[in-house]
Amino acid sequence: MIPDELAREMESHPAVGPVFKRLLLELERADDARSLERVRIDYLGRKGAINALLQDIRNLPAEERREVGRLLNLLKSRLEQELEIRLERIRERELEESLRLQKLDVTLPGRHIPYGTRHLISTIIEQIEDIFLGLGYRVVEGPEVELDYYNFEALNTPEWHPSKSLQDTFYVEVPGGNYRDVLLRTHTSPVQVRVMESTPPPLYVIAPGKAYRHDVPDATHSPIFHQVEGLVVDEDISLGDLKGTLENFARRMFGEDRRVRFRPHFFPFTEPSAEVDVSCNMCGGDGCRVCKWTGWLEILGAGMVDPNVFSYVGYDPERWSGFAFGMGVERIALLKYGVPDIRYFYDNDLRLLRQF
Ligand code: DAH
């Protein structure tokens, strides 16, 4: 810090020596930024040791004053430089230390984040939602673990109905619960009952979601699948409204020149009931592999809400009428894109998923 000769001079000087020796010791011990700062304040500060000595100069004999003043001012500027150098060295050491601890290799290339695509089933559900939102419908949801009451009873489904058998329905065992009271919903129709129970008419809703059935998987069956339920309740709703609504839906979903036909059917919760076909979008109705040479694709079940269902939820069947429909999302996806097997949707095979 100070050339030898000058250092010796300071060390042996009666007034400067003791302070100088103490300073050297403390500098030696200061090994981080905080202790260096301490030294700076103690020696160079306004009330520090060097200023104190400068104050004392006037008590010295006149011939010594010059010499002591020179030494102290030299010491001051040298110490300032020295502190600066040491602080810089300490900062460098601390940076190196923290880099070493972080083991950060800034030359490594960034990590690639793989991004996926939307699953075709989600895309179809969104398309269906868009069509009905455009008609002023609301999207609602209900639970997948459901009560027998909502899945069957309030939908006018009698005790002996075949869909209630163990072969079709997954029942859920509940500790302390009654046998077969709780199940995995076999369709999205129970959401109809739940919205009607909690909302007064008029109603225009769709309810997308998962449903479960005790089916052996094959090209057209999966034990878990998706449906979109629709329900309209208002004054003077007719079968014509249902037909117009579904025709509009079929055209938006499958193409502008699609035709729709109703075949009489039975569902416990609608009367009359129908299965609804759309003319085949693959062959335009001429007959092909996808429509099994009939020209028609069955896409959903529908009907006019049975007055018995209205009485379960406390709607007045004299004043309100309505229609309902339910469609299988996988089936619509299969038909729209000619996918040959429903199981593809659940295999998570990227070669299939990436195509949509
Ligand atoms: N829930 C029926 C099923 O899963 C489909 C269905 C038919 C829904 C007629 C309806 C309807 O809302 O009116 O097969």
Side-chain angles (χ1 to χ4, degrees), residues 140-143 146-157 185-197 205-213 225-231 267-270 301-303 305 309 313 324-327:
V140 294
E141 280 182 3
E146 190 49 286
L147 295 173
D148 175 279
Y149 176 79
Y150 291 104
N151 195 81
F152 292 124
E153 187 181 341
L155 286 167
N156 201 34
T157 309
R185 67 180 179 193
T186 60
H187 50 181
T188 45
S189 303
V191 187
Q192 288 189 34
V193 182
R194 287 183 175 273
V195 267
M196 287 192 278
E197 227 178 42
V205 294
I206 56 167
K210 292 189 180 74
Y212 303 83
R213 276 181 212 173
F225 57 101
H226 295 77
Q227 289 189 327
V228 176
E229 192 78 15
L231 173 68
F267 295 107
F269 35 92
T270 43
V305 181
V309 176
V313 298
F325 56 86
M327 60 185 93

